Amino acid sequence: MGTVILVIHLIIAIALVAIILLQRSEGGALSGLGGGSFGGLMSGRGTANLLTRTTAILATCFIGTSLVLAILAGNSRSTGSILDAPVQGGEVGVPDEPAEPAGPSAPVAN
């Protein structure tokens, strides 16, 4: 369940970024790539309204999926933080006992 919502969340995030980049800003943005409209079917104002509405809908869906993912993450951890868990011994490269300090490798000159 959580994986499906996470995938939907990522698709919404990518679509939201794309729609925001398509909107015309004072600098022109990326809306000039397609002539500024969808095949001549809509005027510039109609395209702007469509992109604004789409942005609002995608943003609402993004917030909704964020809340659902936060709730699912909160329910899956019943014992608190992962920092509270004890460290398992016997890992490769990690000694169980501290090593003795090494002595000087060269004689000390007085």
Side-chain angles (χ1 to χ4, degrees):
M1 171 83 175
T3 305
V4 173
I5 295 174
L6 183 62
V7 168
I8 292 171
H9 185 72
L10 291 174
I11 291 170
I12 290 172
I14 292 169
L16 187 61
V17 168
I19 292 295
I20 288 172
L21 288 176
L22 283 174
Q23 291 183 8
R24 180 172 283 282
S25 65
E26 300 199 15
L30 295 178
S31 63
L33 291 178
S37 65
F38 298 162
L41 296 174
M42 300 180 75
S43 66
R45 179 176 286 184
T47 303
N49 289 338
L50 176 67
L51 291 175
T52 303
R53 287 185 194 142
T54 306
T55 302
I57 291 168
L58 287 174
T60 303
C61 292
F62 183 81
I63 292 171
T65 56
S66 297
L67 290 173
V68 170
L69 287 170
I71 291 169
L72 289 175
N75 289 339
S76 67
R77 290 195 184 116
S78 60
T79 60
S81 174
I82 61 170
L83 298 175
D84 296 335
V87 176
Q88 299 291 333
E91 294 180 16
V92 176
V94 179
D96 290 335
E97 298 178 10
E100 295 182 19
S105 59
V108 178
N110 286 334

